[in-house]
Amino acid sequence: MEGRSSFSLCCHLSLLLLLLQLPAWGCAEEFLVIGPKDPIVAVLGRDTILPCSLASPMSVENMELRWFRSKFSEAVFVYQNRREQREEQMPEYTGRTSLVRDFLTQGQAAVCIHKVRASDDGQYTCFFKKGDFYEEATLEVKVAGVGSAPQVHIDGPEEGGVRVVCTASGWFPKPQVQWRDPSEGKRLAFSETHVQDADGLFRVEASLVLRDSSVQNVTCSFRNPVLDQEKVKAIFIPEPFFPKASPWKVASAVTLTVLGLLVAGAAYLLYKEHSAKQQAKKRQQALQLAETEDRKETQEFKELIDGLRAELERRKAVYQAAWSKAQLYADWRKEKFPACSVTLNLPSAHPNLVLSQENTSITLKALGDEVSDERCSVLGLQGITSGRCHWEVEVKEGDRGDWAMGVCREGADREGWFRECPEKGFWAVGRFSEEFCVCTIPQTELTLREVPRRLGVFLDHEGGDVSFYNMTDGSHVFSFSQAPFSGTLFPYFMVNSGPVSLTVCSTGDAPQGLSNKSPPLGGQLSPPGEGLGSGSEGDGVLPGPESPLLSRAPQAVSP
């Protein structure tokens, strides 16, 4: 009897376990769809995965699967009858989506979006349907992209200070912008504007107005809040850029600060000495420790004074070195470059040129149907051997012919047909074949809204720099920097076609460095190997001044 009861109990337990393992046929078609809890971070231009799965493992190969945006009809991807259905897919996702099929039999499905765009940012819904039963889940995609590095430049004086502008483009979402003063570790107030391009990417411009001349080092940072990535750009602003600023104000402020520290230190020393006299012998050790600390602080004060003085001298030196090469407005450079009175040298003029009675203007003779096969040029009467100077030239009908102006090395070959370029001793700009260009081989086209009607030529002989400015609006046109100047340079003018007229209109006393030597009618080529200067970084690349004050103006690439 006892054996039979044990056998009956085992049978009942086996039957119960079998029943528990059988499926619940009443709910076999029901399931639960689960999406990711956290937002999916998608990087611009890369691929991203939108996964969804069933709470209980079961195959979804024969189900209808759909990923859509805010509306059911806004389909991102549709899978039905075991293949992709494209009839309901939105046009912007055509050819950019695919189904990850690796785990369909395990109840997991995902859509891959290729080459993520800014418009892919937002909420999605994944929809699973089998028979008449369906379930769905929502998921969020956060698109993020890091754009260009900040570009910082000084925009000029404004409201008793100096305006500094920081720009960057290609960011998504809109980046968090900050201006900081590294020396104080504090944020600075600024104004911000932003726009979105056709692809939805942000271009941001942040403007900062500095009125405190003691704040000369500032940084601009752009941070992507999704990726937590940041790009930073720093700029140094010399004190002379601040209106009515003077280096001696900095020295005065430093001196007052140091005196205050010294007075505080002296008072502290007196206080410690007085306290020491009142201490009992049992506190003698503490007094000695305090005196040691006092000596250390005095040494730190002395080092602070020496450091401040050295920093002042360094900044003055940087300002002096950078001033001559800063691509500022023409009115600012004229303060450092004396005006030079230029008279044209008649014997150096080509026979096809007509000079005015005062020898300050040239035009081209009327040649009829004859076409000149020579460069029609003329030089200034006085050569320049050293120093700085500038002159201005009025250009009439400049958009109706070929012409050029600049400086020419003594002895440069001007016979017959030649091409102006630094290798042959010419540093010039002009108009050729209906384009305003830099005289190089090949010619470098400059992008200007219109041909300048008044050009300024600024020459720094010792600094090896020739800069051209549009004197109508004061903007910088182009600079030859670190040019291999040697010997005497002459102002150079050339008109080769059309009714162009070049007139020297600047006036002033002849500055030091002008030579009474008249230019020759022709000359030999410059020594082999002389080009645009040691500042060139490669063949066909034009050098420019590398200034710590401003960002360099973009230059056109040689054709």
Side-chain angles (χ1 to χ4, degrees):
M1 291 296 292
E2 183 177 355
R4 184 179 300 177
S5 299
S6 299
F7 175 78
S8 177
L9 179 60
C10 290
C11 291
H12 281 86
L13 289 175
S14 300
L15 179 61
L16 179 61
L17 290 174
L18 180 62
L19 291 174
L20 290 175
Q21 293 177 2
L22 291 175
W25 297 107
C27 56
E29 301 297 327
E30 297 183 0
F31 50 84
L32 178 64
V33 179
I34 301 174
K37 297 180 180 179
D38 298 324
I40 300 170
V41 177
V43 180
L44 279 173
R46 299 183 184 177
D47 298 345
T48 190
I49 300 294
L50 278 60
C52 285
S53 61
L54 300 182
S56 299
M58 60 182 295
S59 176
V60 298
E61 285 185 305
N62 296 321
M63 291 187 181
E64 176 186 344
L65 310 178
R66 179 187 296 260
W67 280 257
F68 60 90
R69 298 300 298 264
S70 58
K71 298 180 180 179
F72 187 86
S73 59
E74 297 177 349
V76 175
F77 185 89
V78 178
Y79 171 87
Q80 192 175 18
N81 298 327
R82 302 177 68 90
R83 67 183 183 91
E84 178 182 353
Q85 306 291 335
R86 300 182 179 179
E87 293 78 12
E88 300 181 61
Q89 190 177 40
M90 290 190 293
E92 55 265 36
Y93 290 97
T94 301
R96 293 179 53 233
T97 58
S98 61
L99 182 66
V100 180
R101 301 171 175 266
D102 298 345
F103 304 100
L104 293 181
T105 58
Q106 302 175 25
Q108 300 179 14
V111 166
C112 179
I113 299 180
H114 305 281
K115 296 181 180 179
V116 171
R117 305 172 182 173
S119 58
D120 296 334
D121 184 84
Q123 185 169 302
Y124 292 75
T125 301
C126 57
F127 173 90
F128 286 33
K129 181 179 180 182
K130 184 175 183 181
D132 295 329
F133 184 82
Y134 64 87
E135 272 289 343
E136 62 185 30
T138 59
L139 58 158
E140 183 180 3
V141 174
K142 287 189 175 182
V143 177
V146 177
S148 64
Q151 298 295 319
V152 184
H153 67 276
I154 298 176
D155 199 37
E158 180 175 329
E159 299 178 1
V162 59
R163 185 170 184 263
V164 188
V165 179
C166 179
T167 58
S169 59
W171 289 73
F172 190 90
K174 188 174 77 69
Q176 297 173 350
V177 186
Q178 286 186 358
W179 280 99
R180 297 188 186 97
D181 176 9
S183 62
E184 296 292 337
K186 63 181 180 180
R187 300 179 182 178
L188 304 175
F190 62 95
S191 60
E192 176 185 331
T193 59
H194 65 271
V195 294
Q196 285 182 272
D197 59 19
D199 295 328
L201 305 183
F202 284 88
R203 182 184 185 277
V204 181
E205 177 177 293
S207 300
L208 172 69
V209 177
L210 288 174
R211 297 180 176 86
D212 185 1
S213 60
S214 64
V215 180
Q216 296 182 326
N217 289 290
V218 292
T219 61
C220 174
S221 65
F222 279 66
R223 178 180 172 273
N224 188 299
V226 178
L227 300 177
D228 196 25
Q229 295 183 13
E230 185 179 54
K231 290 189 177 182
V232 182
K233 184 73 173 181
I235 186 172
F236 169 69
I237 307 172
E239 187 176 6
F241 278 82
F242 293 89
K244 298 180 181 180
S246 171
W248 304 114
K249 291 184 178 179
V250 177
S252 299
V254 171
T255 303
L256 290 175
T257 302
V258 171
L259 288 176
L261 292 174
L262 290 174
V263 170
Y268 181 69
L269 290 174
L270 291 174
Y271 168 78
K272 296 297 294 184
E273 183 178 357
H274 176 73
S275 300
K277 292 180 180 180
Q278 304 300 321
Q279 298 301 323
K281 292 182 179 181
K282 61 181 179 180
R283 302 186 62 182
Q284 185 64 31
Q285 185 178 1
L287 177 60
Q288 293 177 353
L289 178 60
E291 290 176 351
T292 302
E293 292 178 354
D294 291 342
R295 286 193 296 270
K296 181 179 177 181
E297 290 177 0
T298 303
Q299 180 63 26
E300 290 177 352
F301 291 151
K302 183 179 182 300
E303 292 175 356
L304 175 61
I305 296 172
D306 294 341
L308 291 174
R309 288 176 179 170
E311 177 65 14
L312 176 60
E313 292 301 323
R314 185 192 68 81
R315 293 191 180 186
K316 289 171 63 178
V318 170
Y319 160 66
Q320 293 295 337
W323 173 262
S324 63
K325 294 184 179 180
Q327 296 176 359
L328 307 174
Y329 291 103
D331 290 343
W332 294 18
R333 287 182 71 92
K334 286 169 69 174
E335 296 181 3
K336 297 294 183 179
F337 288 72
C340 174
S341 179
V342 175
T343 304
L344 303 178
N345 185 21
L346 182 59
S348 70
H350 191 278
N352 290 344
L353 291 179
V354 178
L355 274 66
S356 65
Q357 185 176 0
E358 299 81 6
N359 289 340
T360 59
S361 177
I362 62 170
T363 55
L364 192 65
K365 288 183 180 179
L367 302 178
D369 296 334
E370 181 182 353
V371 179
S372 175
D373 59 353
E374 298 181 350
R375 289 287 203 200
C376 303
S377 64
V378 63
L379 301 181
L381 182 61
Q382 290 182 311
I384 304 169
T385 59
S386 63
R388 297 174 180 169
C389 63
H390 86 278
W391 58 92
E392 301 178 19
V393 181
E394 182 178 359
V395 183
K396 293 184 178 179
E397 304 292 341
D399 56 349
R400 297 181 60 189
D402 291 353
W403 55 273
M405 69 173 68
V407 296
C408 168
R409 183 192 291 121
E410 180 181 18
D413 186 5
R414 297 190 297 116
E415 297 291 338
W417 180 261
F418 59 92
R419 289 286 296 274
E420 299 93 337
C421 66
E423 292 83 355
K424 296 184 179 181
F426 296 86
W427 294 269
V429 298
R431 182 183 182 272
F432 301 91
S433 302
E434 300 183 357
E435 298 293 341
F436 192 76
C437 305
V438 180
C439 294
T440 57
I441 297 178
Q443 292 173 342
T444 301
E445 181 181 341
L446 293 177
T447 304
L448 301 179
R449 289 178 294 182
E450 61 181 3
V451 175
R453 293 175 292 175
R454 190 182 182 101
L455 270 174
V457 183
F458 291 77
L459 173 61
D460 184 351
H461 197 287
E462 284 79 4
D465 183 274
V466 181
S467 296
F468 298 86
Y469 283 80
N470 185 341
M471 303 308 291
T472 303
D473 58 13
S475 62
H476 175 258
V477 175
F478 187 79
S479 290
F480 292 96
S481 66
Q482 299 182 7
F485 294 158
S486 61
T488 306
L489 300 176
F490 291 91
Y492 172 78
F493 308 87
M494 186 277 292
V495 176
N496 215 54
S497 66
V500 182
S501 170
L502 302 180
T503 303
V504 181
C505 51
S506 62
T507 60
D509 298 333
Q512 294 181 358
L514 291 185
S515 170
N516 292 324
K517 183 188 298 185
S518 298
L521 297 180
Q524 300 299 323
L525 291 174
S526 302
E530 289 190 352
L532 295 180
S534 59
S536 298
E537 297 179 359
D539 295 340
V541 181
L542 296 176
E546 298 297 337
S547 170
L549 308 181
L550 297 175
S551 58
R552 179 175 175 80
Q555 299 179 354
V557 178
S558 301

